[in-house]
Amino acid sequence: MHFLFASAALLALLKPHPVASLAVDASIKAVTLDIVNKNLAPDGFLRSTIVANGQYPGPAITATKGQTLRVTVNNKLTDPNMRRSTTVNFDGIFQSTANSYNEGSAFVTTCPIAPGASYTYEVPLGSQTGTHWYHSELSVQYVDGLRGALIIYDPLDPQRQLYDVDDLSTVIQLGDWWQNSSLPMLARYEATGIVPVSDSGTVNGIGRYQGGPNVPFAVTNVVSGKRYRLRVINQSARNVFTFSVDSHSLTVIEADGVATRPHTVDVIEMLAGQRYSVVLTANKPVANYWINAPFVGGLPSRNLHQNATLSRSILRYRGAPIAEPTTPWTLGPENGVPLIEANLVPLVNEVPPPADVNISLDLTVIAGQAIWNVNNISYLPPKVPTLNKVLAGSASFDPTENTFILPAHKTIQIEFPPTDDDDAHRMCFIASPFLSIDLDTISTAFHLHGGNFWVVKSMSSSTANFVNPIRRDVAGVGGSGTTIRFRTDNPGPWLFHCHIFWHKQAGLATVMLADPAAVRKNTHPTKAWEALCPAYNALPVELQ
């Protein structure tokens, strides 16, 4: 009896320990991304790609508000026709000063990951929620396929009563697709100044090109009477997509991770990097309907594969036949109510503080060359990343780094001047996808890392809004002028660049370095991060 009792007591004492050691920390979301070359045919044309876990788009990363992502990236790239090093940025995730070294911006906050090596990004999400994405931040590498959704769910979403369904089936990823690999296309761009024109557009990784096979379109399934939160992401490296769903209105409730007051429209034009959540009510007759995503991105005559109207997918009601819609595809954007950015209002308003520092950014391109300037400077990535320099105590940056040193805890106002009609080389605006214009030089969208900004003067409006402007992290610039404001409460070297990555590669970028003294004081990188630059710099050029 005593033996049995002692054994039971011993077991009772020991039992919690192995259970505790195996417990899962719910605050950590572990993700593994194997970056590989794989032959894929998103639009029916087989080519070698750079993708995460063998798929395009890459696997969706999902998390809950307050979690920390622990993303292990294993670089397994071998194809010499594309970059073989890599780095991953989590678009729209602010990061913090202490964690800025995990931000993933090549040569700003980190060196790339060498082929055959691995790195684990620690990404605390804090109070952020909403629709985001991840992609390669190295050169134009994500043109080859390294892009995917990143969704942060909020269990206490204040707009939860507006929709019934919000899961991975309602994520819609738009992308431009090239049938050639990025390095040869980049060489031609640098030789001619002509941005490569995509062969097709994809919706959830599937598209068609003119003269190509009839690849089955992607399908979003719905049930009559239910309301769906569609999370729409423009993952393009260039193209502007115009999103609509035949016969259905769309109620915008989020822009770039910021909840908005419900605003109902029919058509949404989306620049590269922009995201929206819209509520679609399945209240139409049971049938198949087109989800439309035509695009612009250069003259179609420069790529005879391009047919923007083939960029679409299907909304299928339960009970509808497994078939394409029988109604003819129409130019829905011409007949619906368009989204005007200036009409968006945040759900929780925060009046932008008065500006403490004013900066004007003038964007120009040298005709016939792949050279973009910001205030007459074409950005060139430094050999030693900006963050490394700051941590080493340097206050000196090459002019080509285009680094603005900003004071702590101030409001920065950046103005992009209006574009004159006779100054088309600077023009940047959201254009109708059916205009016969050349967007090689007249379209761009600026994206801020490390935070977002108030759009106090949208290019979609002639007036400023200092009362309740939308906050977002990607905005179009040009037209009647764009003015944004942001706070320097998150010290760090944050990339501020055009999200048309061909333009970024050509120099259309700056670095907003907020409070370098606080960066030096509060940023303490790991040994793994410190090892990235020596490993990358030791590589032969062809492996970088």
Side-chain angles (χ1 to χ4, degrees):
M1 290 291 293
H2 292 288
F3 176 78
L4 292 175
F5 176 80
S7 299
L10 180 62
L11 287 172
L13 288 172
L14 293 176
K15 186 175 181 180
H17 295 279
V19 172
S21 67
L22 296 175
V24 176
D25 185 349
S27 69
I28 302 293
K29 178 67 179 288
V31 177
T32 299
L33 299 179
D34 291 331
I35 311 304
V36 300
N37 297 117
K38 185 173 182 179
N39 290 330
L40 296 174
D43 63 359
F45 182 93
L46 189 67
R47 58 154 291 190
S48 178
T49 65
I50 294 176
V51 290
N53 295 5
Q55 64 188 71
Y56 169 77
I61 298 174
T62 62
T64 303
K65 180 180 178 179
Q67 284 189 309
T68 292
L69 293 173
R70 188 169 289 161
V71 183
T72 298
V73 173
N74 301 313
N75 183 353
K76 300 182 178 182
L77 298 174
T78 58
D79 192 328
N81 292 309
M82 293 169 278
R83 292 293 290 264
R84 280 179 274 183
S85 293
T86 193
T87 182
V88 175
N89 173 253
F90 306 92
D91 228 47
I93 304 303
F94 298 162
Q95 299 288 7
S96 64
T97 304
N99 199 56
S100 57
Y101 63 93
N102 276 315
E103 198 266 338
S105 294
F107 309 110
V108 177
T109 58
T110 189
C111 280
I113 305 166
S118 299
Y119 182 77
T120 297
Y121 296 93
E122 196 90 359
V123 188
L125 299 175
S127 61
Q128 283 193 265
T129 61
T131 308
H132 308 278
W133 62 301
Y134 66 90
H135 60 80
S136 168
E137 192 75 42
L138 177 62
S139 182
V140 292
Q141 189 181 59
Y142 87 74
V143 164
D144 293 310
L146 180 43
R147 14 182 169 169
L150 195 172
I151 310 298
I152 310 171
Y153 295 103
D154 183 358
L156 301 177
D157 181 5
Q159 303 199 87
R160 185 63 183 84
Q161 76 282 1
L162 298 178
Y163 54 88
D164 305 305
V165 182
D166 177 24
D167 55 30
L168 289 182
S169 73
T170 63
V171 176
I172 297 181
Q173 302 175 73
L174 311 178
D176 42 16
W177 190 252
W178 282 264
Q179 294 173 359
N180 296 313
S181 56
S182 57
L183 288 185
M185 289 194 295
L186 182 58
R188 287 195 294 272
Y189 173 41
E190 292 173 340
T192 64
I194 299 174
V195 180
V197 176
S198 70
D199 292 275
S200 58
T202 60
V203 181
N204 285 342
I206 299 174
R208 292 181 184 178
Y209 66 94
Q210 190 69 28
N214 289 334
V215 179
F217 287 117
V219 176
T220 299
N221 293 291
V222 297
V223 176
S224 290
K226 290 188 177 293
R227 301 164 302 168
Y228 293 81
R229 179 174 182 164
L230 305 181
R231 297 177 180 267
V232 189
I233 308 169
N234 183 354
Q235 298 174 350
S236 72
R238 179 182 188 183
N239 291 354
V240 180
F241 284 87
T242 300
F243 182 80
S244 65
V245 181
D246 280 357
S247 303
H248 294 74
S249 61
L250 306 169
T251 299
V252 180
I253 61 170
E254 177 214 346
D256 297 357
V258 176
T260 68
R261 294 182 192 172
H263 180 63
T264 300
V265 298
D266 299 309
V267 182
I268 302 174
E269 287 188 320
M270 300 183 66
L271 294 170
Q274 290 186 326
R275 298 91 64 200
Y276 289 101
S277 278
V278 299
V279 176
L280 177 145
T281 302
N283 58 1
K284 302 302 177 184
V286 171
N288 292 291
Y289 297 86
W290 288 121
I291 297 175
N292 311 304
F295 59 86
V296 285
L299 291 175
S301 60
R302 288 187 172 149
N303 189 335
L304 298 182
H305 280 174
Q306 189 178 104
N307 180 344
T309 68
L310 295 177
S311 179
R312 45 181 149 154
S313 65
I314 297 171
L315 183 78
R316 175 168 295 148
Y317 278 67
R318 180 185 293 175
I322 308 300
E324 293 182 7
T326 56
T327 54
W329 190 85
T330 58
L331 305 187
E334 293 186 348
N335 303 315
V337 176
L339 172 65
I340 298 173
E341 181 183 61
N343 291 339
L344 290 175
V345 175
L347 184 67
V348 178
N349 189 41
E350 184 179 16
V351 177
D356 299 304
V357 177
N358 288 278
I359 299 172
S360 180
L361 298 184
D362 186 44
L363 314 181
T364 57
V365 61
I366 298 178
Q369 299 184 50
I371 300 176
W372 275 90
N373 293 322
V374 180
N375 291 357
N376 296 315
I377 297 175
S378 183
Y379 177 82
L380 290 175
K383 291 184 178 180
V384 177
T386 309
L387 180 58
N388 298 58
K389 291 184 177 182
V390 174
L391 294 177
S394 174
S396 177
F397 303 95
D398 296 336
T400 53
E401 293 181 61
N402 219 352
T403 297
F404 292 79
I405 301 177
L406 306 175
H409 305 298
K410 299 296 182 181
T411 300
I412 313 300
Q413 177 164 295
I414 297 182
E415 298 181 359
F416 294 88
T419 302
D420 299 325
D421 290 341
D422 59 352
D423 197 13
H425 69 284
R426 291 200 297 116
M427 189 179 295
C428 307
F429 66 96
I430 307 174
S432 166
F434 302 102
L435 293 177
S436 296
I437 56 177
D438 187 345
L439 292 192
D440 284 336
T441 58
I442 62 174
S443 172
T444 198
F446 257 69
H447 169 54
L448 178 65
H449 292 220
N452 57 17
F453 45 75
W454 291 277
V455 186
V456 297
K457 164 65 179 65
S458 171
M459 59 182 288
S460 66
S461 173
S462 60
T463 60
N465 177 359
F466 299 105
V467 178
N468 56 359
I470 189 63
R471 289 192 73 148
R472 64 184 319 162
D473 57 61
V474 184
V477 301
S480 63
T482 303
T483 302
I484 67 170
R485 288 182 184 175
F486 62 89
R487 294 281 299 171
T488 56
D489 297 329
N490 187 25
W494 308 120
L495 194 58
F496 185 47
H497 64 92
C498 177
H499 221 305
I500 297 175
F501 261 48
W502 303 101
H503 290 171
K504 177 195 169 191
Q505 180 66 17
L508 198 49
T510 67
V511 175
M512 296 293 159
L513 173 54
D515 192 4
V519 175
R520 285 190 288 273
K521 178 181 179 181
N522 299 314
T523 307
H524 307 286
T526 61
K527 295 295 184 183
W529 178 86
E530 292 175 349
L532 288 173
C533 283
Y536 177 81
N537 293 332
L539 294 171
V541 173
E542 64 270 17
L543 293 180
Q544 287 186 338

